[in-house]
Amino acid sequence: MPVVVVESPAKAKTINKYLGPGYTVLASYGHVRDLPPKDGSVLPDDDFSMKWEVAADSKKHIKAIADALKTDDELILATDPDREGEAISWHLQEALASSIKKGKKVSRVAFNAITKPAILAAMEKPRDVDTALVEAYLARRALDYLVGFNLSPVLWRKLPGARSAGRVQSVVLRLVVEREMEIEAFNPREYWSVTATLLTPRGQQIEARLTVLGGKKLDKFDLATVAAAELAVSAIDKRDFSVKSVEAKPATRNPFPPFMTSTLQQEASRKFGMGSKATMAAAQRLYEAGHITYMRTDGIDMAPEAITAARAAIKDIYGANYVPDSPRIYKNKAKNAQEAHECIRPTVLSATPEQLKITDSDQRRLYDLIWKRTIASQMASARLERTTVDFASADAQVELRATGQVVQFDGFLRVYDEGRDDDDGEDSARLPQVMQGEPVTRAKDARRPDYVKGAEFGTPPDRATNMVLGQDGASLALQHHTQPPPRYTEATLIKRMEELGIGRPSTYTSIVTTIQDREYVTKDKNRLIPSDKGRLVTAFLTNFFRRYVEYDFTADLEAELDDVSAGDRAWKDVLARFWRDFSASIGETSDLRISEVLDKLDDFLAPHLYPLRADGSDPRSCPTCGSGRLHLKTARSGGAFIGCGNYPECRYTRPISVSADDPAAALDGKVLGTDDFGVEVTLRTGRFGPYVQKGEATADVPKPPRASLPKGWAADQLTYERALELLSLPRQIGPHPEDGEMIEAALGRFGPYVKHGKVYANLADAEEVFTIGMNRAVEVLAQKAARGAARGAAAEPLRSLGEHPDGGEMQVMPGRYGPYIKWGKVNATLPKETTPEEITAEQAIELVNAKAVKKPARKTAAKPKAETAKKPAAKKAPAKKAAAAKPAAKKKAAPKKAAADDALTE
């Protein structure tokens, strides 16, 4: 009985159903081996030999496969049809070498969809593991490891507070940072547009925009001031108009190609607001359920049988007139497109979203999107008529234009239209009937409601600053300002990565997720904003490792790896060329002093760190002492801030993301009052927010009394009395009635609390610190003690999610930091956007499986034997173990886990 190995238990269950009882289908649960997260896993001086180890949680899966092979003579590797899938098959073959060396048959099969016909067809075409794809994988893993484990320590030493750097993630971070710098450097430009509402002889209104003034065609910025707009409105008011010309042109709109990975993520973001990670998770489940084809692809071509099925479905559902005369064939135009896979499409084109009845909301929405896009891609074009009407004054000095369009045949638009990241302003309104030479009149007061609704008044109060209304209310001028480029969303960032040839479908999501996990980028209203830490890392790499964050260099390296995949380039040659130059660049930074680094970064980030002040003063002068210059500095605890060069005489500091003109910075140093001894109490702004301070630092008192403002307290409303209350903490409430030990109330790192001995009990509100009495304090402390005693009691599950495919019940449990899924000894936290009521069994399986894979081995476990990577050979018996390598020279302590994590991702 052949043993078939796939990645996931859900996939194994579906395939086992299709293959029948003659096969044993087991899951590997993803990758089974990886490079140990420590120095020496890739050895450039030993011909880039790589040492692999089996993950602790993968041992039981390897054992299950090995046990099955004791009674079965054939191993079929049926992992995903991409580079990562090929790599998993190779790792399985290597890890199972002792079980398959006794004449057992090993083969590799690949299928693009988990359907019975696709799987049975794949079983008829077994092959060997693709050597070229595995070598491309080995090259990528080696590159990512070498960058992560060599560049990250440089960051730690030269840029305190930085976490890590990755080969591709650093380049993507640069995209986000540079877009933010574009936005900050942007200078808006004012311009005005003028429209008028006209009345046709048949009494219908038509809106037209001003296109010619003074006999000259207007450009966008010709009306640059309110004075110019007033003159334009006046010119319309003084003239009568007639129809100069009417032009109707036929037009067509062609359907969009079917989805590939990047376009699916973009459209799911536009239409549903789904992040790339959520999109790919839902697509993975649809693929494993057999509903769609493989979802990590950069191909948009469709199998001939799928095209035939789509055309048949279109005819059945929408009619023969929606089927074009010939099938539509799509080819990818993206840079470095591999054309390795088919597009993302439904496996059964006739299966409409309504027929499948998918229960999970994300999967249901995503399948509906994929089905509509696929069907629409093979439908007839939409036919439109676009009409342009020009109106002119008798003296030809003023002209107005109205545009509109009407859909004569909707074609593919009946099913689907792609969303847009930015409105293109296309006018889709139908125009009323007019004829050349007909007179038109101004529609009195037609624009007055718009004026009343949107006008903003200044000085004089009866004159709007952003609008000009014509005397008869028929014409209206609107003020506009050019807008900076928008911040990236995850979807538009992935689109830009694809355009530049950076990353690949299998890595887009992990790259975008990593820069957020590292806290280099934050997300606000679905837009990506670089943090101060992210800016500093980009500035450092741009100044000292510029070549390795250049877009073309990264794209060219990706192209070389694609050549390796195609068998056109030797993978170790790629590594050797990269390592020769990269190791030299690392060596050049060894003598750099932190002060040199800070000076470079200070200059590079100056427009962001020291923006121009409203009063025109020097943006780098210290607002406290007036004589010192502001500089970028690093804290002992990590991170960076702006401080005065006159330290320690002047102790002014502020976060690097706050300018001197910021209201928070304006409060820095504000004197709140003076005590009876003449000591000032001041409000300060520090790296961790506002705080109050009594007195100044001196040689005798280097750390004067300070207290941070509690969360929710407005710094601009703080009084001297409230500041004294903060500085007086901790507040003594009185001796405990049972043992006489003092009870205190104070503000701590985690908020307000009361303390009795070693017992700390949180308070709900900071105000309670100043008002809580003895009875309430004793009650709160008693409640805390009772909770501590009950902590050992088992918590009741919030919900049962049924059995895991590997056995054992999955339950949603309440936790201190939020609900989580418990499966045996594995605990997986629920995503923030998912409630215990919404989580499905399929989502739970994915979460606990991912957590199980990441779970570290116990410290007491024996160290896994390292294995040296060999160039994969087609269907050859495993080679004998190589002679033990010479012991490596002693190295420094292994880098922290952040570098390990970065070495595992692009």
Side-chain angles (χ1 to χ4, degrees):
M1 184 185 297
V3 177
V4 180
V5 182
V6 296
E7 294 96 332
S8 73
K11 188 174 173 182
K13 185 177 180 181
T14 305
I15 292 174
N16 200 26
K17 178 177 66 176
Y18 293 144
L19 291 179
Y23 292 83
T24 301
V25 185
L26 300 173
S28 70
Y29 290 83
H31 276 280
V32 296
R33 299 195 312 172
D34 207 349
L35 297 171
K38 60 184 180 182
D39 284 336
S41 295
V42 178
L43 300 174
D45 295 336
D46 189 26
D47 198 26
F48 296 98
S49 62
M50 302 166 72
K51 297 180 179 179
W52 304 93
E53 69 179 23
V54 176
D57 285 321
S58 295
K59 290 180 179 179
K60 60 183 178 182
H61 306 309
I62 291 291
K63 184 178 184 302
I65 299 169
D67 289 344
L69 286 172
K70 290 178 181 178
T71 56
D72 299 319
D73 293 330
E74 184 177 2
L75 173 64
I76 301 175
L77 303 168
T79 50
D80 288 340
D82 61 357
R83 184 189 69 235
E84 289 299 311
E86 208 71 23
I88 292 173
S89 286
W90 176 74
H91 278 301
L92 285 166
Q93 193 171 355
E94 294 288 309
L96 293 166
S98 60
S99 300
I100 59 179
K101 65 184 179 181
K102 300 174 182 178
K104 295 184 185 293
K105 181 182 178 183
V106 181
S107 60
R108 167 86 167 107
V109 298
F111 36 82
N112 197 43
I114 304 178
T115 61
K116 188 171 184 178
I119 291 167
L120 295 180
M123 290 295 178
E124 297 295 322
K125 299 176 182 178
R127 59 172 174 83
D128 296 322
V129 172
D130 190 313
T131 301
L133 281 179
V134 174
E135 288 180 343
Y137 159 79
L138 293 174
R140 286 177 186 274
R141 285 296 295 111
L143 285 170
D144 295 339
Y145 174 90
L146 291 172
V147 171
F149 273 87
N150 288 279
L151 187 52
S152 295
V154 174
L155 277 177
W156 300 334
R157 292 193 301 268
K158 309 300 181 184
L159 194 63
R163 294 191 63 181
S164 55
R167 182 175 64 87
V168 181
Q169 78 172 55
S170 299
V171 184
V172 175
L173 174 61
R174 180 187 168 193
L175 279 171
V176 178
V177 170
E178 289 189 344
R179 173 57 59 88
E180 195 69 18
M181 293 173 72
E182 284 182 63
I183 294 171
E184 291 169 349
F186 182 82
N187 290 315
R189 187 174 176 184
E190 180 183 2
Y191 67 98
W192 290 72
S193 64
V194 181
T195 57
T197 302
L198 305 174
L199 207 60
T200 72
R202 282 156 288 281
Q204 295 173 298
Q205 289 187 352
I206 184 170
E207 186 175 316
R209 70 183 189 279
L210 180 65
T211 55
V212 175
L213 182 64
K216 177 190 172 186
K217 183 178 179 181
L218 287 177
D219 290 329
K220 182 176 182 177
F221 297 106
D222 282 349
L223 302 180
T225 63
V226 63
E230 289 174 341
L231 289 174
V233 169
S234 177
I236 295 174
D237 286 346
K238 294 175 181 177
R239 287 169 171 80
D240 296 323
F241 294 88
S242 61
V243 179
K244 177 183 178 181
S245 64
V246 180
E247 184 179 22
K249 289 183 178 180
T252 60
R253 278 188 63 187
N254 294 321
F256 301 93
F259 282 129
M260 55 182 173
T261 301
S262 59
T263 52
L264 176 63
Q265 293 173 337
Q266 292 161 33
E267 194 70 342
S269 175
R270 295 185 192 111
K271 283 186 161 59
F272 310 134
M274 291 175 67
S276 60
K277 190 173 183 179
T279 300
M280 295 311 293
Q284 176 82 36
R285 294 193 291 272
L286 287 172
Y287 166 69
E288 291 179 344
H291 295 321
I292 64 171
T293 54
Y294 192 58
M295 66 287 160
R296 282 187 282 272
T297 173
D298 52 9
I300 56 174
D301 55 318
M302 195 185 302
E305 62 272 16
I307 293 176
T308 302
R311 289 168 63 85
I314 294 166
K315 183 178 179 181
D316 290 342
I317 300 172
Y318 304 106
N321 58 328
Y322 284 88
V323 182
D325 294 336
S326 58
R328 296 186 183 276
I329 307 299
Y330 296 97
K331 290 295 179 183
N332 203 324
K333 297 179 182 179
K335 187 177 182 181
N336 289 335
Q338 296 178 22
E339 299 287 358
H341 310 110
E342 195 184 352
C343 65
I344 304 171
R345 62 168 177 83
T347 53
V348 180
L349 273 301
S350 60
T352 64
E354 294 75 20
Q355 291 172 341
L356 284 188
K357 297 180 180 179
I358 299 170
T359 56
D360 181 84
S361 60
D362 282 351
Q363 293 180 51
R364 183 173 62 252
R365 291 189 299 172
L366 204 63
Y367 181 82
D368 181 74
L369 190 67
I370 294 168
W371 185 86
K372 287 179 177 177
R373 175 87 166 215
T374 306
I375 290 292
S377 72
Q378 289 300 321
M379 291 179 74
S381 301
R383 295 195 298 274
L384 317 169
E385 183 180 77
R386 291 181 176 146
T387 305
T388 302
V389 180
D390 286 323
F391 305 92
S393 61
D395 59 3
Q397 292 298 295
V398 180
E399 289 188 16
L400 301 161
R401 172 171 289 182
T403 58
Q405 71 177 23
V406 60
V407 177
Q408 296 180 324
F409 173 66
D410 54 4
F412 76 93
L413 292 175
R414 180 170 176 182
V415 177
Y416 175 86
D417 193 12
E418 186 175 68
R420 294 176 175 85
D421 295 311
D422 300 293
D423 185 10
D424 60 6
E426 184 179 273
D427 191 346
S428 59
R430 179 193 290 269
L431 297 180
Q433 182 183 2
V434 290
M435 298 178 65
Q436 186 172 347
E438 282 187 335
V440 292
T441 58
R442 294 187 299 278
K444 186 178 180 181
D445 289 333
R447 305 307 306 276
R448 192 173 298 279
D450 295 331
Y451 179 80
V452 172
K453 183 178 180 180
E456 298 172 0
F457 295 94
T459 304
D462 60 342
R463 180 176 177 179
T465 58
N466 65 326
M467 290 183 176
V468 177
L469 183 68
Q471 288 184 351
D472 58 4
S475 55
L476 184 67
L478 293 175
Q479 183 189 48
H480 308 275
H481 291 91
T482 54
Q483 297 297 310
R487 290 186 173 113
Y488 287 113
T489 63
E490 288 187 359
T492 55
L493 181 59
I494 288 171
K495 181 180 180 181
R496 185 60 179 149
M497 290 164 61
E498 181 188 29
E499 291 170 350
L500 294 171
I502 297 171
R504 288 297 177 263
S506 60
T507 62
Y508 290 148
T509 298
S510 64
I511 293 168
V512 174
T513 301
T514 297
I515 61 175
Q516 294 177 69
D517 291 345
R518 294 282 176 271
E519 298 177 350
Y520 291 157
V521 169
T522 59
K523 190 190 291 188
D524 180 32
K525 297 178 181 177
N526 212 31
R527 298 283 174 173
L528 300 176
I529 305 170
S531 64
D532 291 340
K533 190 185 299 182
R535 288 178 185 266
L536 289 170
V537 169
T538 294
F540 177 83
L541 295 176
T542 303
N543 277 277
F544 298 103
F545 293 91
R546 185 171 189 82
R547 183 186 181 199
Y548 301 98
V549 289
E550 287 178 348
Y551 306 131
D552 287 344
F553 174 82
T554 306
D556 290 343
L557 187 56
E558 293 285 347
E560 290 184 15
L561 294 170
D562 289 345
D563 291 343
V564 175
S565 297
D568 298 332
R569 193 184 292 268
W571 68 287
K572 289 187 178 179
D573 289 347
V574 175
L575 289 177
R577 282 195 301 274
F578 176 88
W579 179 247
R580 181 184 62 241
D581 297 334
F582 181 70
S583 58
S585 298
I586 293 289
E588 290 170 2
T589 64
S590 59
D591 295 331
L592 273 177
R593 291 179 296 179
I594 291 180
S595 59
E596 295 178 70
V597 172
L598 291 178
D599 287 344
K600 282 265 190 181
L601 303 191
D602 214 12
D603 292 339
F604 183 85
L605 295 172
H608 167 66
L609 301 179
Y610 316 108
L612 296 175
R613 293 178 179 173
D615 61 3
S617 61
D618 183 0
R620 297 193 69 155
S621 66
C622 176
T624 298
C625 70
S627 60
R629 296 274 292 170
L630 300 181
H631 295 281
L632 182 66
K633 298 176 180 289
T634 57
R636 292 178 183 176
S637 58
F641 63 96
I642 302 299
C644 180
N646 283 345
Y647 178 86
E649 289 77 13
C650 178
R651 293 176 175 265
Y652 171 82
T653 63
R654 65 169 171 83
I656 69 175
S657 57
V658 177
S659 70
D661 284 340
D662 189 282
L667 294 171
D668 190 54
K670 177 183 176 182
V671 177
L672 299 173
T674 306
D675 69 7
D676 295 339
F677 300 97
V679 180
E680 291 181 341
V681 175
T682 54
L683 176 64
R684 306 294 179 101
T685 300
R687 297 191 299 279
F688 306 107
Y691 65 94
V692 291
Q693 177 175 304
K694 186 175 183 180
E696 296 291 339
T698 63
D700 295 333
V701 187
K703 292 186 178 181
R706 293 175 178 173
S708 295
L709 268 64
K711 186 177 181 181
W713 283 31
D716 57 349
Q717 298 177 13
L718 186 71
T719 63
Y720 173 63
E721 291 73 20
R722 300 247 66 183
L724 290 179
E725 288 180 345
L726 286 174
L727 291 166
S728 68
L729 296 178
R731 168 176 165 256
Q732 292 189 344
I733 299 172
H736 195 285
E738 293 181 0
D739 59 10
E741 189 170 356
M742 184 61 65
I743 300 175
E744 296 179 340
L747 293 167
R749 181 181 177 187
F750 301 108
Y753 66 91
V754 288
K755 172 182 175 290
H756 171 239
K758 295 183 179 180
V759 177
Y760 291 78
N762 293 332
L763 297 174
D765 188 358
E767 291 292 343
E768 209 171 355
V769 170
F770 307 102
T771 60
I772 189 169
M774 177 61 70
N775 292 340
R776 170 66 176 155
V778 171
E779 179 187 1
V780 170
L781 289 164
Q783 289 172 350
K784 175 62 181 290
R787 285 197 301 271
R791 188 170 295 166
E796 290 294 323
L798 300 174
R799 184 182 165 205
S800 175
L801 296 170
E803 290 285 314
H804 190 280
D806 284 355
E809 185 181 11
M810 297 182 297
Q811 297 176 323
V812 183
M813 304 294 293
R816 180 180 179 185
Y817 303 106
Y820 64 94
I821 301 166
K822 181 174 181 61
W823 173 55
K825 295 183 179 180
V826 177
N827 297 331
T829 304
L830 261 66
K832 290 181 180 179
E833 64 275 7
T834 305
T835 65
E837 294 76 23
E838 294 173 338
I839 189 76
T840 65
E842 292 81 4
Q843 291 172 316
I845 291 170
E846 182 179 342
L847 288 170
V848 297
N849 287 350
K851 183 70 174 180
V853 170
K854 292 180 182 177
K855 192 176 179 183
R858 294 180 181 176
K859 291 182 180 180
T860 55
K863 292 184 179 179
K865 292 182 179 179
E867 302 173 47
T868 302
K870 303 178 286 296
K871 181 177 178 178
K875 295 190 71 175
K876 287 186 178 180
K880 294 181 179 178
K881 289 185 178 178
K886 293 180 180 180
K890 287 187 178 180
K891 297 182 181 287
K892 293 180 180 178
K896 297 178 183 177
K897 188 177 184 299
D901 291 343
D902 262 339
L904 305 182
T905 181
E906 296 183 350

